[in-house]
Amino acid sequence: MGIYERQRHLVPTGVWGEPFRLDADAVAMPLPLAAFPSVTVATPAPLDVVEPEAEEIKLGKRLLQAQQDDVPRMQEAPPSSDSFSHDDDDARPRDKVQRRLAQNREAARKSRLRKKAYIRNLETSRVKLAQLEQELIMARRQQHGAYGVGGGVAPPAAPVDPRVAAFELEYAHWVEEQSRQATELRAALQSHAPDVQLRVLVDAALAHYGALFQAKARAARSDAFFVLSGVWRSPAERFFLWIAGFRPSDLLKVLEPQLSPLMDHQASEVRKLQNTARQLEDALSQGMSKLQQTLVDTLMTVDVSPDGAGGGYAGQQMACAVGKLADLVDFVDKADHLRQQTLRNMHKILTPRQAARGLLALADYGQRLRALSSLWAARPREPA
């Protein structure tokens, strides 16, 4: 019995501390009976602890497998509340930026739609206004020319091109805008505004002149005689008219006293620009003179005899003369191009403050010419 009691005490708890885990080295081997001759061998009672070696190995494998199965479950544990809050904090700014970008895109789309609708309304209003102006001009012509010389009825007035009437209105608006820009230039110069602000005002004034040249080109394609006659300008302005506008060389003469003092290199560049403008003006003037002489020669060859002989040839000659008049549009375009290039080159030569003073002087000069025309129209007249 002592042997069995001794074996019972040698049972270890195992590596993991379980009472049923046995270590292979700790299993006691039974001693041979020859070592104890005096001991009576009795049938041993069954042990409730000692198990065969195969059972121990199986138990160890099961426990090792169970331990390995527990490792992934520990790794797949749900994240803590701190990780959730961190992800939420990162997601919220991204969602806010996305919403703001979507709102900006929608606002830009609506703004473009409003701009298109506004432009369509302006175009419709402009056409209606031109039609009303045309009707008003026709009514005035019919009122003043209802009866011709000697009591006879005058021929009906020629219809007015709506594009010509639209140009007259556009020029009136252009004069008002030029007056507003002149007020801004004067205030900026008096307040000693920085060059950056003056440069913005100067660029706006130059773009305003460009808009006038474009409008004039459209009107010239509709009626070149109307643009060249200058009836859309005041009488004093028409007195200084050269191919539907001012002479660039005369413009430089008007501006030069207002720009002093000029640096030496600026004065030299201004003189070169003035000489170039004068040469181009002479070339355009000679072209206009040749066109006039060509028209005179063409009209002098037309047979206008009362018997109507040579009517077919006369019609061809008149058609040829009308075709030559199409060159008038080209002269108007070239003259306006020369004016625009002169203004731009002056802007390159001058400083922003000098350019602002020059454009202000040019606007004041045109305003004085229009004021002179108003005074001339309001002068007292002798009774007829």
Side-chain angles (χ1 to χ4, degrees):
M1 295 298 294
I3 297 174
Y4 298 107
E5 290 294 329
R6 186 178 171 187
Q7 291 177 351
R8 186 178 293 114
H9 289 293
L10 289 175
V11 176
T13 58
V15 179
W16 294 278
E18 293 87 354
F20 50 83
R21 179 73 170 96
L22 298 179
D23 198 359
D25 296 335
V27 177
M29 298 300 293
L31 297 175
L33 294 177
F36 304 93
S38 61
V39 177
T40 303
V41 178
T43 303
L47 295 178
D48 55 346
V49 176
V50 179
E51 297 290 338
E53 184 178 358
E55 294 295 332
E56 292 180 7
I57 296 175
K58 291 181 179 180
L59 287 174
K61 290 182 178 180
R62 291 175 184 175
L63 291 175
L64 182 60
Q65 184 67 28
Q67 185 181 10
Q68 292 177 353
D69 293 340
D70 290 339
V71 172
R73 287 195 294 269
M74 295 177 60
Q75 293 177 353
E76 294 176 359
S80 62
S81 60
D82 295 338
S83 62
F84 276 120
S85 61
H86 182 70
D87 294 340
D88 292 341
D89 294 340
D90 292 342
R92 286 169 187 167
R94 290 196 296 268
D95 295 341
K96 187 175 181 180
V97 170
Q98 294 297 330
R99 287 196 301 269
R100 185 170 296 176
L101 290 175
Q103 292 174 358
N104 291 342
R105 287 193 294 267
E106 183 65 18
R109 187 183 67 84
K110 292 181 180 179
S111 178
R112 290 192 296 269
L113 292 177
R114 288 195 298 268
K115 183 179 180 181
K116 291 180 180 179
Y118 178 70
I119 293 176
R120 284 196 297 268
N121 291 335
L122 284 180
E123 290 293 333
T124 303
S125 301
R126 185 182 67 84
V127 172
K128 291 181 179 180
L129 190 60
Q131 292 176 353
L132 292 176
E133 184 69 17
Q134 178 184 0
E135 294 175 0
L136 180 61
I137 294 175
M138 292 178 62
R140 288 178 178 175
R141 290 182 179 179
Q142 290 176 359
Q143 181 179 1
H144 292 290
Y147 294 96
V149 180
V153 178
V160 180
D161 194 326
R163 289 172 291 185
V164 172
F167 172 72
E168 289 184 295
L169 295 176
E170 194 170 357
Y171 178 72
H173 295 322
W174 186 90
V175 172
E176 295 177 358
E177 179 64 17
Q178 187 190 39
S179 178
R180 187 191 65 79
Q181 290 182 352
T183 302
E184 292 181 351
L185 286 171
R186 185 176 289 105
L189 290 172
Q190 291 176 355
S191 62
H192 302 284
D195 290 347
V196 176
Q197 181 180 354
L198 292 175
R199 189 176 290 108
V200 171
L201 295 176
V202 168
D203 292 340
L206 292 176
H208 191 53
Y209 275 100
L212 174 62
F213 298 147
Q214 292 178 1
K216 196 191 300 183
R218 292 192 298 268
R221 284 166 176 76
S222 178
D223 190 349
F225 282 119
F226 170 80
V227 175
L228 287 169
S229 64
V231 294
W232 41 280
R233 289 183 177 268
S234 63
E237 289 177 305
R238 290 198 297 269
F239 181 71
F240 297 97
L241 206 62
W242 173 78
I243 312 182
F246 56 82
R247 281 182 176 270
S249 59
D250 292 343
L251 169 67
L252 295 176
K253 290 181 182 178
V254 173
L255 294 182
E256 190 172 2
Q258 306 296 328
L259 303 176
S260 59
L262 292 173
M263 302 294 290
D264 292 340
H265 69 280
Q266 288 180 325
S268 176
E269 293 295 330
V270 170
R271 285 193 295 270
K272 290 180 181 178
L273 183 60
Q274 190 171 3
N275 293 333
T276 301
R278 189 177 295 110
Q279 292 175 3
L280 294 176
E281 290 171 7
D282 294 341
L284 287 176
S285 298
Q286 292 176 5
M288 288 287 291
S289 299
K290 290 181 180 179
L291 178 60
Q292 292 175 352
Q293 186 62 41
T294 301
L295 290 174
V296 169
D297 296 341
T298 302
L299 294 176
M300 292 301 296
T301 59
V302 175
D303 186 8
V304 291
S305 58
D307 56 1
Y313 177 75
Q316 293 178 358
Q317 292 298 101
M318 292 299 292
C320 181
V322 171
K324 293 182 181 298
L325 289 177
D327 295 338
L328 293 175
V329 179
D330 187 47
F331 279 103
V332 173
D333 291 341
K334 289 181 179 179
D336 283 342
H337 180 71
L338 177 58
R339 298 182 186 100
Q340 190 172 18
Q341 289 299 318
T342 302
L343 290 174
R344 290 178 178 176
N345 291 330
M346 282 292 293
H347 177 230
K348 294 178 181 179
I349 295 172
L350 304 176
T351 63
R353 191 166 299 275
Q354 290 173 335
R357 291 208 310 265
L359 290 171
L360 179 60
L362 183 59
D364 290 341
Y365 178 69
Q367 182 63 31
R368 292 189 184 101
L369 288 176
R370 289 186 288 270
L372 178 61
S373 299
S374 299
L375 293 175
W376 173 257
R379 74 189 186 279
R381 295 179 176 82
E382 295 180 0

